[in-house]
Amino acid sequence: GEDVEQSLFLSVREGDSSVINCTYTDSSSTYLYWYKQEPGAGLQLLTYIFSNMDMKQDQRLTVLLNKKDKHLSLRIADTQTGDSAIYFCAEIGHSGGYNKLIFGAGTRLAVHP
Amino acid sequence: NAGVTQTPKFQVLKTGQSMTLQCAQDMNHEYMSWYRQDPGMGLRLIHYSVGAGITDQGEVPNGYNVSRSTTEDFPLRLLSAAPSQTSVYFCASSYVSGEKLFFGSGTQLSVL
């Protein structure tokens, strides 16, 4: 079945790079998404990558996609305390003729001085 | 443009009580959905709707009802609250199913 897996915790020092990893199962997923959830808030779309791309860069964020291994990663350069949040990876699943987003359990990123 | 608005933000219920969580969006999105978020389990889909008058079950629909009489509103009803329904609930919408979702700020529900 459809499943998205992420490690639950990551701790990094301020100024270092963070790499959050995700594995997914549906190779037909057109897009893959990264969402950010700050404490007490809803999820916000951080970035996404189209399935025919290997890499997407957006300022401090770099998304890498390895379709062969069904592996997605999010790299945050120069990590700041404001990056502390839970990061969710999501793929597109299919049910009853409709598409839906399937989320991983989320990776909690803690940034320390 | 308010986006996705959920009410209430917090709610405490007693076992067996019923209530409705409200969700409204002003982006003319066809697709709306309800998720619950539990520690270590991420987001699980409860119900979704691909347009007015059309709803379907997600992964964890038991104990919840939905309806979609208008494009804008997608309320979630708890029929008889149970402690297992203690969770944070998120409503989300998008132009079409499977596309970029916009989330509300959530409702924290405790069932005693």
Side-chain angles (χ1 to χ4, degrees), chain A residues 9-51:
Chain A
F9 299 103
L10 177 65
S11 178
V12 299
R13 192 186 303 271
E14 192 174 10
D16 287 352
S17 292
S18 307
V19 180
I20 301 171
N21 295 302
C22 167
T23 57
Y24 62 95
T25 54
D26 192 338
S27 58
S28 65
S29 188
T30 313
Y31 292 95
L32 291 144
Y33 299 94
W34 283 105
Y35 282 81
K36 178 183 180 182
Q37 184 183 30
E38 295 182 353
L43 278 71
Q44 286 188 303
L45 180 63
L46 193 62
T47 187
Y48 62 95
I49 188 166
F50 191 49
S51 60

Side-chain angles (χ1 to χ4, degrees), chain A residues 8 31 33 35 37 40-45 48 86 88 92-93 95-106, chain B residues 31 35 37-38 40-43 45 48 50 54 56-59 88 90 97-106:
Chain A
L8 294 183
Y31 292 95
Y33 299 94
Y35 282 81
Q37 184 183 30
L43 278 71
Q44 286 188 303
L45 180 63
Y48 62 95
I86 302 176
F88 292 90
I92 298 176
S95 174
Y98 302 108
N99 295 330
K100 59 181 180 179
L101 287 193
I102 308 233
F103 289 86
Chain B
Y31 181 83
Y35 287 86
Q37 183 180 26
D38 301 293
M41 302 187 74
L43 292 159
L45 183 63
Y48 65 96
V50 296
I54 306 170
D56 205 349
Q57 296 179 351
E59 299 172 72
V88 181
F90 289 101
S97 64
E99 293 284 322
K100 300 180 280 291
L101 280 175
F102 292 81
F103 281 81
S105 58

